Amino acid sequence: MRHIISRRNLLVLGGGALLAGCASYVPDGRTTLPQLSRETIIAKINGVRADNGRKPLAYNAALERAARTHVNLMAERGELSHTVGGTLRERVNAAGYFGAVGENLAGGQRTLEGAIQGWMESAGHRSTLLSARFSEFGLAAASGGGEYGTYWAIILGGTFEAWTAGR
């Protein structure tokens, strides 16, 4: 079974326009957990963003630490949840990140491309992944128990000003 969930923990929620048309671009490949590298992750995420007219994101080690801690805990408990181990805000602050953040989770996809495809096929996840307000990200995956077996987390970050400008 494959499943995806999304949560934004921003200064101001709502008011974001949905992206028109859900193109199904997914990067080529079948990158499994043992094959994941920072370079591959950056290339795949920024490839999807470029294909959708978005600027590339920088990779952020603190956001990766928060994502890694979260996927490891989900895999250990066999639970796909935004609240395992605390709220998104608590988790990113503990990792040393204090900007605006959004998070997409996925469970059951065996490849990075499968997780990206799931996020791109869901309007809310797509909106988070392609948001022009985010400038950096971290991504992690882990194998574990429960019905999903494989757990994915991408945490995107940026300035609070990007979310409050023009309001």
Side-chain angles (χ1 to χ4, degrees), residues 5-157:
I5 58 177
S6 175
R7 171 167 294 165
R8 291 187 189 166
N9 189 6
L10 308 170
L11 182 65
V12 179
L13 291 175
L18 289 177
L19 299 169
C22 287
S24 60
Y25 172 80
V26 176
D28 290 334
R30 296 194 46 77
T31 310
T32 62
L33 271 64
Q35 299 167 324
L36 282 178
S37 69
R38 183 176 288 187
E39 294 76 23
T40 299
I41 291 167
I42 292 168
K44 301 288 180 165
I45 295 298
N46 284 331
V48 168
R49 288 180 58 86
D51 192 66
N52 285 276
R54 298 294 190 256
K55 292 181 181 177
L57 300 171
Y59 204 79
N60 183 287
L63 293 174
E64 179 187 349
R65 277 192 308 276
R68 180 156 320 287
T69 298
H70 195 64
V71 295
N72 286 341
L73 192 53
M74 288 191 301
E76 178 184 307
R77 294 187 181 176
E79 181 180 346
L80 185 65
S81 169
H82 285 284
T83 59
V84 169
T87 67
L88 175 57
R89 173 58 44 210
E90 291 167 340
R91 292 185 280 112
V92 297
N93 286 359
Y97 192 85
F98 301 98
V101 291
E103 175 179 66
N104 285 348
L105 303 179
Q109 297 83 357
R110 294 183 179 266
T111 65
L112 173 60
E113 295 81 6
I116 292 170
Q117 180 176 0
W119 293 329
M120 291 298 288
E121 290 175 351
S122 163
H125 297 91
R126 179 184 173 87
S127 179
T128 300
L129 187 60
L130 298 181
S131 176
R133 293 175 174 170
F134 292 125
S135 58
E136 53 197 351
F137 79 103
L139 184 145
S143 294
E147 69 178 290
Y148 301 109
T150 306
Y151 299 83
W152 300 86
I154 184 170
I155 304 176
L156 300 100

